[in-house]
Amino acid sequence: MTERTLKKKSEIALCVEMGKLAFDEGMKCIPANDKRIMSVIADEEKRTITTIQVLKAWIDGWTQADLKGKAI
């Protein structure tokens, strides 16, 4: 794996965790309401993933946390 690929994977994992944290804090599944993820989006020069990848990862994390809470 290249360094760039590893960086992308870690950035995606971070965005997933941000989504989970947002769920735990009681936020709705609206990334625009999360100031942390919006700051990631605003910092285009430092990230290697696209805005769509950031948003998708955040939503995936939020959804995982939601489904985990509904599991039996």
Side-chain angles (χ1 to χ4, degrees), residues 44-58:
E44 286 186 65
E45 292 179 13
K46 289 188 179 177
R47 63 182 157 87
T48 59
I49 59 176
T50 66
T51 300
I52 296 297
Q53 289 173 310
V54 169
L55 293 170
K56 183 182 179 314
W58 187 95

Side-chain angles (χ1 to χ4, degrees), residues 1 9-10 25 29 32 37 39 43 46-47 70:
M1 243 183 250
K9 287 187 177 214
S10 70
E25 291 176 349
C29 190
I37 203 67
S39 70
D43 200 4
K46 289 188 179 177
R47 63 182 157 87
K70 292 180 181 175

Side-chain angles (χ1 to χ4, degrees), residues 13-45:
L14 176 64
C15 294
V16 169
E17 289 304 313
M18 288 178 153
K20 289 178 181 179
L21 180 61
F23 176 84
D24 290 343
E25 291 176 349
M27 288 187 197
K28 293 187 179 194
C29 190
I30 305 170
N33 290 345
D34 186 346
K35 291 178 182 174
R36 291 176 296 244
I37 203 67
M38 295 311 290
S39 70
V40 170
I41 290 170
D43 200 4
E44 286 186 65
E45 292 179 13

